[in-house]
């Protein structure tokens, strides 16, 4: 049997935004996708969230990026523009499809497939979803603000820990946290020593773990979900005393992701978003690197492709 050519294996023309080097600058990029198979689902893409992992990857901050690189949430754009319909499509195995409940908005719900499951899964796995737990969320960003919402929905008492005193009002009055600590204020931290059942650490920059471990009760758990590009220092004695656990968590399986979406819909949990078009991607990445977003960028796919289609037809 003759070997299929690349065009036969990946016959669907596709388009996205890719980085060509560690500068991380994103530019239009054409590629191809495989055809729809018997166990596949083909679907329209209306909204697409941007994660801090995209930023790490396009700049090769984790050391394993290869170029050209289409970030995980931006390589979405297979499209079939016509005069009557302009939209994006993707193809996925049916076992990787998540059903959104009718009351879950697509734009503010999209980031939950990343940020939502990233914080939901460790809370469930490490026993922090039981009512009455006292949980701290370290970092009030894309992951952190969603973690606060899930923890409150689980019935936890929630403390937000941040380097920025300016986020106190946001944490307490708008997101519903019960208390707030400034991570550099040693007096505040000392008063709260040995009070926490668990900590969800969402920070993606290098930061000290010792002050956080001091907040945990005996048998308390510090769960890392942020991924700094450099190693963190872990003093052994601070873990040994009190039999504390330091662990990590990535995302979750499909069953748990569906469970998370259903739970979020039931409790009216969505991400706080800023909607952008694809021509704003590089500016969005620059702002994301500075923490200048509240709290997740979401790309309006349909309008982005409509703009591209208009530009393409005007050139012709």
């Amino acid at each position: 049997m003759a070997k299929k050519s690349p065009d036969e294996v990946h016959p669907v023309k596709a388009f996205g935004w890719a980085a060509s080097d560690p500068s991380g600058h994103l530019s239009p990029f054409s590629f191809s996708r495989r055809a729809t198979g018997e166990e596949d689902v083909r679907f329209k893409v209306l909204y697409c969230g941007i994660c801090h992992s995209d930023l790490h990857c396009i700049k090769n901050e984790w050391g394993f990026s290869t170029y050209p690189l289409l970030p995980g949430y931006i390589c979405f754009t297979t499209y079939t523009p016509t005069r009557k319909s302009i939209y994006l499509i993707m193809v996925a195995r049916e076992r990787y499809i998540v059903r959104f409940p009718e009351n879950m908005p697509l734009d503010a719900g999209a980031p939950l497939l990343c940020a939502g499951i990233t914080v939901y899964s460790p809370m469930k796995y490490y026993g922090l979803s039981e009512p009455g737990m006292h949980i701290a969320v370290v970092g009030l960003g894309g992951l952190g603000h969603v973690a606060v919402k899930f923890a409150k929905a689980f019935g936890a008492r929630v403390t937000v820990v941040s380097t920025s005193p300016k986020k106190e009002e946001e944490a307490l009055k708008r997101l519903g946290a019960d208390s707030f600590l400034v991570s550099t204020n040693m007096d505040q931290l000392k008063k709260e020593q040995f009070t926490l059942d668990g900590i969800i650490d969402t920070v993606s920059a290098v930061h000290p773990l010792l002050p956080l471990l001091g907040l945990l009760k005996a048998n308390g758990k510090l769960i890392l979900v942020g991924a700094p590009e450099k190693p963190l220092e872990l003093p052994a004695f601070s873990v040994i005393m009190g039999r504390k656990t330091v662990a990590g968590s990535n995302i979750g399986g499909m069953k748990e992701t569906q469970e998370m979406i259903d739970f979020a819909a039931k409790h009216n949990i969505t991400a706080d978003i800023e909607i952008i078009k694809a021509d704003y991607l590089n500016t969005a990445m620059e702002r994301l690197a500075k923490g200048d977003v509240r709290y997740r960028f979401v790309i309006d796919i349909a309008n982005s492709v409509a703009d591209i289609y208009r530009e393409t037809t005007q050139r012709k």
Side-chain angles (χ1 to χ4, degrees):
M1 180 181 291
K3 185 177 181 181
K4 290 185 178 180
S5 68
D7 287 341
E8 290 176 309
V9 176
H10 298 91
V12 183
K13 299 300 181 183
F15 178 83
W17 280 263
S20 58
D21 57 55
S23 71
H25 183 81
L26 295 163
S27 303
F29 181 76
S30 297
F31 61 107
S32 60
R33 292 191 185 278
R34 60 179 171 82
T36 307
E38 293 182 358
E39 297 181 353
D40 290 336
V41 175
R42 190 181 188 191
F43 57 95
K44 295 180 183 179
V45 180
L46 301 179
Y47 297 99
C48 173
I50 298 177
C51 172
H52 206 283
S53 296
D54 293 323
L55 188 62
H56 284 305
C57 287
I58 62 176
K59 292 182 175 293
N60 196 27
E61 291 177 343
W62 288 333
F64 51 70
S65 298
T66 57
Y67 300 94
L69 185 149
L70 283 79
Y73 300 102
I74 304 174
C75 58
F76 42 63
T77 52
T78 304
Y79 69 103
T80 57
T82 68
R83 291 184 181 276
K84 293 185 178 180
S85 63
I86 302 176
Y87 56 86
L88 305 178
I89 60 171
M90 284 191 71
V91 176
R93 298 293 187 192
E94 60 184 0
R95 63 179 178 272
Y96 298 125
I97 297 296
V98 175
R99 178 191 59 82
F100 265 41
E102 290 185 4
N103 68 318
M104 175 62 70
L106 297 179
D107 52 1
L112 296 182
L113 296 175
C114 171
I117 189 61
T118 296
V119 298
Y120 179 93
S121 182
M123 288 185 193
K124 296 287 287 187
Y125 184 85
Y126 290 102
L128 301 179
S129 61
E130 297 299 319
M133 288 282 179
H134 187 183
I135 298 173
V137 174
V138 182
L140 195 61
L143 292 175
H145 88 287
V146 175
V148 172
K149 294 181 181 184
F150 275 109
K152 289 298 295 182
F154 284 136
R157 178 186 171 197
V158 179
T159 296
V160 170
V161 182
S162 173
T163 58
S164 174
K166 296 179 181 179
K167 292 189 176 182
E168 181 172 4
E169 183 174 357
E170 174 84 358
L172 300 179
K173 294 185 178 180
R174 204 176 70 80
L175 294 176
D178 300 285
S179 57
F180 184 89
L181 298 174
V182 178
S183 60
T184 55
N185 188 323
M186 293 301 112
D187 290 335
Q188 284 188 0
L189 297 182
K190 187 175 181 179
K191 290 178 182 178
E192 298 300 320
Q193 280 186 328
F194 317 124
T195 62
L196 298 175
D197 297 292
I199 298 173
I200 301 295
D201 186 343
T202 72
V203 178
S204 58
V206 175
H207 59 287
L209 297 182
L210 182 59
L212 301 179
L213 290 166
L215 298 174
L216 290 172
K217 300 176 181 176
N219 302 308
K221 303 175 181 71
L222 169 60
I223 314 302
L224 305 176
V225 295
E229 66 272 19
K230 295 180 181 179
L232 301 178
E233 183 177 325
L234 178 62
F237 197 71
S238 63
V239 179
I240 294 170
M241 297 302 292
R243 196 163 55 184
K244 297 171 184 178
T245 297
V246 177
S249 184
N250 188 11
I251 49 173
M254 294 310 302
K255 180 179 179 181
E256 191 173 44
T257 300
Q258 184 66 66
E259 176 188 294
M260 177 275 301
I261 284 291
D262 292 339
F263 181 89
K266 180 180 179 180
H267 294 274
N268 297 312
I269 296 173
T270 58
D272 293 4
I273 62 172
E274 179 178 336
I275 295 180
I276 65 170
K277 291 185 179 180
D279 60 7
Y280 192 76
L281 273 173
N282 287 300
T283 302
M285 288 299 186
E286 291 174 2
R287 287 180 54 194
L288 180 59
K290 299 174 183 177
D292 180 24
V293 57
R294 205 172 93 182
Y295 285 100
R296 279 279 169 140
F297 287 117
V298 171
I299 307 166
D300 183 338
I301 303 300
N303 283 325
S304 296
V305 177
D307 289 347
I308 294 170
Y309 178 65
R310 281 192 292 268
E311 291 174 8
T312 301
T313 54
Q314 286 173 1
R315 293 194 195 104
K316 293 180 179 179

